[in-house]
Amino acid sequence: MSKDFNENALDYHRHPRPGKLATVATKPLATQRDLALAYTPGVAVVCEAIAQDEQKASELTLRSNLIGVITNGTAVLGLGNIGPLASKPVMEGKAVLFKKFAGLDVFDIELNENEPSKLVDIIASLEPTFGGINLEDIKAPECFEVETELKKRLNIPVFHDDQHGTAIIAAAAIENGLKLVDKSLSDMKLVCSGAGAAAIACLDLLVDLGLSKKNIIMCDRKGIVYEGRPNINNPYKEKYAAKTEARCLGSALQDADIFLGVSSADLLTPEMIQNMAPKPLILALANPVPEINPIVAKKARPDAIIATGRSDYPNQVNNVLCFPFIFRGALDVGATVINKEMKMACVHALASLAQAEPSDIVAKAYAGEDLQFGPDYIIPKPFDPRLIVKIAPAVARAAMDTGVATRPIEDFDAYRHKLTEFVFRSSLVMRPVFNAAKQSPKRLAYAEGEDQRVLQAIQVVVDEDLAQPVIIGRRDVVDYRIRKLGLRLKIDKDFELVDPQGDPRYKEYCETYHSLMQRRGVSPEFAKEVVRTNTTAIAALMVYREEADAMLAGPVGRFNRHLRYMMPILGKRPNVSTVASLTALITGSGTFFLCDPYVNEDPSAQEIAEMTVLAAEQVRCFGTSPKVALVSHANFGTNPSASAEKMQAARLIINKLAPDLEVEGEMRADTAINPAIRERLFPNSKLEGAANLLVMPNLDAANIAFNMVKAIADCQPVGPILLGLKQAGHILTPSATVRSIVNMSALAAVDAGRQTQQIFQFDRNKAVSM
């Protein structure tokens, strides 16, 4: 490694504070009452509850989400026996991965003990602290003894990642590699270079999956492990002693289908692999230098599928693909052990995920790489957001099926939804919307149906049955991009395609558009041009003609341009004077809705009142009761400027339009969000608690606030959501991700149902300005 990289690694761990971990409180501790609840006397009630029923610990303490990452530092990465203290950065790193990928908390524990029986005693005594134990970097053969004894003594999962994590990922790679070359595991000849913990665990799991033990040849530092070889002195290794005449790695590889290297650098030569069977699998997993360089191996055997332990080559066998998620599933059902069935379930889930269409998040993280299932992509990437949703439920179900789950899951659909919250911050907020969309999926027209993000989102929409997609785009382009993205979508089966270049309704659309726009300066010829070239207008016309229930414009193009074509066609709701927008901001301290950062430059008091009531109606769709703050630079009359007085007038109109709505203002943003400030300044406020719907006096204020919060708070936006249209339609922004398009698809579908019901209509007689 370069000197610069080494310095960067040291700086990364040194600044801004030493290490990679911190303890963070999950409950408030701001008042005397908080202190009384968190510690004495309140904590005594919790202690007594657990003393009476130990299962209560899973709901009253951190234990059911807490992993112990434990080592004695005797086999750390490729560094060997460097001791427990020097191993601590690795254990902290493991803790960070658990938290990042599966939301699991970790205490890392480095033990100054090498004697296996004492090590077992120490770790076993920690059982009340943890929901599971991840053993790490303990050398073989002691690691086998430690894990075996702990499994006998403990009623929580124990998992030695160096063994089983490597085994699971390698097995998934082999399963997919054999699928590509059309071979069966039961018929394969496998040669393994290495006889340590990882090698033996790999072979054990492959045998469980169907590999015949008689087809395995193992090679250690002394050569082939064969029957009758003297001084093996290791029962874990001895069970793989083969009946073979081979006495070196080269001769063992004759006609072998699989090479599994878990040993050391450059042991494999091009000449050795040239004698392997056709279409061999070569897993050269030694780190940082593999048993053979993949480029060299590919040159010698172009028909080979190759995997390594490195991230700079295709098919990285990386344990992070496994351990966070297998523990997530095990802890969520209160498993007492991680058994072979749970590991096999993890293998199959990983293998199937690699065969799925690529995720947009993965594509961004690995720009330029081919992520289609094939010889260079047989294992998922670590940043694939679907890993947790795929693996954890498979592991949890296997635990339940084998009778080791103490808290079985009753609703797996709800469980999967909960798991998505670890990946998508919008998941919890969007759940009521998704549930409503699934009740009666609507026809949803996508104006930019050729956009790759839109097509990837439509795959999710179809899979989750959120809507019935109608794609506007050229047939050949849409078909090509579906195939390029590896999607499973089928034209005319999974969605309706409207091709602007050849739809038989073109003449009817032109006539409809002209009839709507003829008094706005649109001639018949110009109408033809618009319908031929403007997909936003086509989508809006489909909704107007009831050939679709809702539409999504964008994410290509400017917001105002899309809106200019949509509004005359979709129209405004009865008695609504203006269309507005609403954006949800999902932050670490809660979800806030902001109105109106996109449409109205300087709305009147009447318009602010209307958009506030419409926004409150939309907030309820998220299963949230709106608490409205009319935001200003002034608090309750302290500065009688035109802007502040406009917000005062808007409040009076709102009180007439929606007397039951919890609304207050005008007030500053901090007063709106912090009830303590509001209580001090205005104790008679009608607003209780923190406001969640913030209505701004003009476009500048709303847009600045939106972009500032988005940047500073690292929040997840949902929107913009258009308010006040007679028929349902929304506009995607150029920065829209696949997930945000999925979210907006669900919102559009739900809005289509609400528009047909016309839940709320304005009564202008109630809204006379004061």
Side-chain angles (χ1 to χ4, degrees):
M1 296 182 186
S2 70
K3 183 177 179 181
D4 286 345
F5 182 87
N6 293 347
E7 286 300 320
N8 288 338
L10 292 171
D11 287 343
Y12 176 86
H13 285 77
R14 186 180 289 128
H15 303 293
R17 54 185 291 181
K20 298 189 285 279
L21 295 175
T23 301
V24 179
T26 60
K27 300 293 189 296
L29 197 63
T31 67
Q32 180 61 38
R33 178 172 173 76
D34 291 341
L35 180 60
L37 291 171
Y39 200 54
T40 183
V43 74
V45 178
V46 182
C47 294
E48 289 174 345
I50 297 172
Q52 294 172 11
D53 180 4
E54 290 187 352
Q55 290 296 319
K56 294 283 187 183
S58 65
E59 62 184 75
L60 295 172
T61 74
L62 176 63
R63 185 174 187 259
S64 64
N65 200 63
L66 184 62
I67 302 294
V69 172
I70 302 178
T71 188
N72 64 355
T74 52
V76 182
L77 301 178
L79 304 174
N81 186 356
I82 60 175
L85 185 59
S87 75
K88 190 171 181 63
V90 179
M91 303 310 119
E92 286 187 358
K94 199 77 174 218
V96 170
L97 296 177
F98 268 114
K99 189 67 175 180
K100 166 69 177 177
F101 290 107
L104 289 163
D105 297 292
V106 167
F107 291 160
D108 66 290
I109 297 178
E110 295 75 32
L111 298 173
N112 191 14
E113 179 57 67
N114 292 345
E115 205 285 308
S117 62
K118 291 183 179 179
L119 198 58
V120 169
D121 287 340
I122 294 169
I123 297 172
S125 69
L126 298 172
E127 182 177 12
T129 301
F130 298 110
I133 301 290
N134 186 96
L135 300 175
E136 192 76 17
D137 292 347
I138 301 172
K139 72 182 181 72
E142 289 88 340
C143 61
F144 299 115
E145 179 182 340
V146 170
E147 184 186 35
T148 301
E149 289 302 312
L150 286 172
K151 285 183 174 181
K152 291 177 183 178
R153 291 174 59 171
L154 302 183
N155 284 314
I156 56 174
V158 178
F159 187 81
H160 185 208
D161 184 48
D162 299 312
Q163 295 180 56
H164 308 299
T166 302
I168 288 168
I169 314 306
I174 289 171
E175 181 173 312
N176 274 346
L178 293 178
K179 183 180 181 71
L180 287 171
V181 299
D182 196 24
K183 293 183 180 181
S184 172
L185 182 62
S186 60
D187 300 327
M188 294 299 96
K189 176 184 176 182
L190 182 147
V191 176
C192 178
S193 174
I200 291 169
C202 286
L203 297 180
D204 287 348
L205 184 56
L206 288 168
V207 168
D208 289 337
L209 289 165
L211 179 64
S212 174
K213 191 180 289 187
K214 69 180 182 181
N215 292 340
I216 297 172
I217 298 177
M218 175 183 280
C219 184
D220 65 8
R221 289 186 179 90
K222 297 179 181 179
I224 301 300
V225 180
Y226 59 88
E227 281 191 357
R229 195 182 95 173
N231 302 320
I232 294 179
N233 298 329
N234 183 332
Y236 304 100
K237 183 192 304 187
E238 193 167 13
K239 67 181 177 181
Y240 288 109
K243 291 182 180 180
T244 178
E245 298 299 318
R247 292 297 181 267
C248 68
L249 183 60
S251 59
L253 279 167
Q254 183 71 41
D255 297 323
D257 300 280
I258 304 170
F259 170 77
L260 175 62
V262 202
S263 49
S264 55
D266 299 325
L267 289 179
L268 203 59
T269 66
E271 293 74 23
M272 291 179 184
I273 63 174
Q274 284 173 345
N275 294 322
M276 293 181 71
K279 299 179 181 179
L281 305 187
I282 299 173
L283 279 72
L285 307 184
N287 243 332
V289 181
E291 285 82 358
I292 186 170
N293 184 289
I295 298 172
V296 173
K298 200 69 176 177
K299 184 176 181 180
R301 287 301 300 263
D303 61 337
I305 295 176
I306 304 167
T308 72
R310 292 178 54 138
S311 61
D312 52 349
Y313 294 116
N315 301 323
Q316 183 191 19
V317 175
N318 189 334
N319 288 10
V320 77
L321 291 168
C322 163
F323 66 81
F325 315 113
I326 198 167
F327 266 109
R328 181 77 272 166
L331 265 64
D332 287 340
V333 293
T336 57
V337 68
I338 293 176
N339 56 31
K340 70 176 182 180
E341 290 81 5
M342 295 161 73
K343 289 182 281 187
M344 290 165 65
C346 190
V347 171
H348 298 319
L350 270 171
S352 66
L353 183 55
Q355 298 173 40
E357 64 276 358
S359 157
D360 66 307
I361 297 175
V362 180
K364 286 181 180 179
Y366 300 92
E369 294 189 34
D370 183 5
L371 302 180
Q372 302 274 2
F373 179 58
D376 288 337
Y377 189 68
I378 58 175
I379 317 171
K381 295 291 190 179
F383 286 99
D384 195 318
R386 299 166 295 184
L387 283 164
I388 190 170
V389 181
K390 191 79 173 178
I391 295 174
V395 170
R397 191 175 289 281
M400 291 165 56
D401 291 344
T402 54
V404 299
T406 61
R407 297 189 303 275
I409 293 169
E410 295 182 3
D411 186 341
F412 267 85
D413 286 338
Y415 178 53
R416 290 187 185 93
H417 278 300
K418 184 173 178 61
L419 291 173
T420 62
E421 295 171 22
F422 292 112
V423 182
F424 301 112
R425 284 180 289 175
S426 62
S427 181
L428 181 61
V429 174
M430 290 299 300
R431 187 180 302 174
V433 180
F434 275 50
N435 291 340
K438 291 178 181 181
Q439 294 300 312
S440 179
K442 303 298 182 183
R443 296 166 300 172
L444 179 56
Y446 293 86
E448 299 291 344
E450 297 177 2
D451 187 90
Q452 293 189 13
R453 290 167 293 173
V454 170
L455 289 169
Q456 288 174 307
I458 289 171
Q459 182 70 72
V460 179
V461 168
V462 170
D463 289 344
E464 298 198 16
D465 199 23
L466 296 173
Q468 300 171 27
V470 180
I471 290 180
I472 300 172
R474 292 163 292 178
R475 180 175 288 266
D476 56 341
V477 175
V478 171
D479 180 63
Y480 169 76
R481 289 186 176 166
I482 287 174
R483 287 186 283 107
K484 181 183 177 182
L485 292 167
L487 303 177
R488 290 169 281 110
L489 294 171
K490 302 295 181 185
I491 298 177
D492 301 326
K493 178 183 177 183
D494 295 315
F495 61 88
E496 176 187 346
L497 181 74
V498 177
D499 189 337
Q501 295 182 337
D503 193 277
R505 295 167 291 188
Y506 171 72
K507 182 178 179 181
E508 297 174 27
Y509 283 8
C510 291
E511 292 172 352
T512 302
Y513 186 68
H514 179 252
S515 69
L516 290 170
M517 303 296 292
Q518 59 187 336
R519 295 188 181 275
R520 301 188 186 213
V522 173
S523 66
E525 289 304 314
F526 187 70
K528 292 177 183 179
E529 179 68 17
V530 169
V531 174
R532 184 166 49 248
T533 60
N534 192 296
T535 55
T536 296
I538 296 171
L541 287 167
M542 294 193 73
V543 176
Y544 178 82
R545 291 163 52 91
E546 298 184 351
E547 295 167 355
D549 300 304
M551 66 163 289
L552 283 179
V556 178
R558 293 176 61 85
F559 183 95
N560 288 338
R561 183 173 180 272
H562 289 299
L563 187 60
R564 188 168 69 248
Y565 281 99
M566 289 168 58
M567 280 186 61
I569 301 173
L570 300 182
K572 291 183 285 192
R573 287 172 63 169
N575 294 326
V576 171
S577 61
T578 185
V579 170
S581 69
L582 178 73
T583 298
L585 294 170
I586 303 168
T587 74
S589 55
T591 300
F592 300 92
F593 296 86
L594 198 63
C595 183
D596 157 39
Y598 280 94
V599 180
N600 295 286
E601 186 173 347
D602 188 16
S604 66
Q606 174 71 44
E607 290 169 335
I608 286 172
E610 289 180 3
M611 70 174 68
T612 299
V613 178
L614 287 168
E617 177 188 325
Q618 188 74 54
V619 168
R620 292 189 183 97
C621 291
F622 290 88
T624 300
S625 296
K627 293 177 175 291
V628 185
L630 302 173
V631 181
S632 172
H633 69 282
N635 275 322
F636 310 109
T638 56
N639 189 345
S641 65
S643 172
E645 289 180 346
K646 178 173 70 171
M647 302 308 277
Q648 290 178 12
R651 178 180 60 82
L652 297 175
I653 299 171
I654 293 167
N655 289 340
K656 289 179 174 291
L657 283 173
D660 295 330
L661 185 60
E662 191 175 342
V663 58
E664 190 57 270
E666 87 291 10
M667 70 180 90
R668 295 189 323 198
D670 59 345
T671 309
I673 294 171
N674 190 330
I677 297 175
R678 193 165 61 250
E679 176 65 23
R680 187 177 74 252
L681 297 177
F682 195 72
N684 296 321
S685 170
K686 294 181 180 179
L687 183 63
E688 294 184 5
N692 56 22
L693 172 53
L694 307 178
V695 182
M696 301 291 175
N698 55 48
L699 183 68
D700 277 351
N703 194 269
I704 291 168
F706 164 57
N707 284 291
M708 184 177 293
V709 173
K710 186 172 67 170
I712 294 175
D714 187 29
C715 67
Q716 175 67 48
V718 176
I721 306 163
L722 283 176
L723 308 171
L725 286 173
K726 183 179 180 181
Q727 292 176 287
H730 298 293
I731 301 169
L732 303 166
T733 61
S735 62
T737 63
V738 169
R739 190 64 189 184
S740 64
I741 297 172
V742 172
N743 288 340
M744 291 304 298
S745 299
L747 277 163
V750 172
D751 280 352
R754 289 170 55 243
Q755 302 296 61
T756 58
Q757 297 173 33
Q758 287 292 297
I759 293 174
F760 177 86
Q761 296 211 10
F762 287 104
D763 182 350
R764 279 291 183 88
N765 293 326
K766 289 184 179 180
V768 178
S769 297
M770 302 298 289

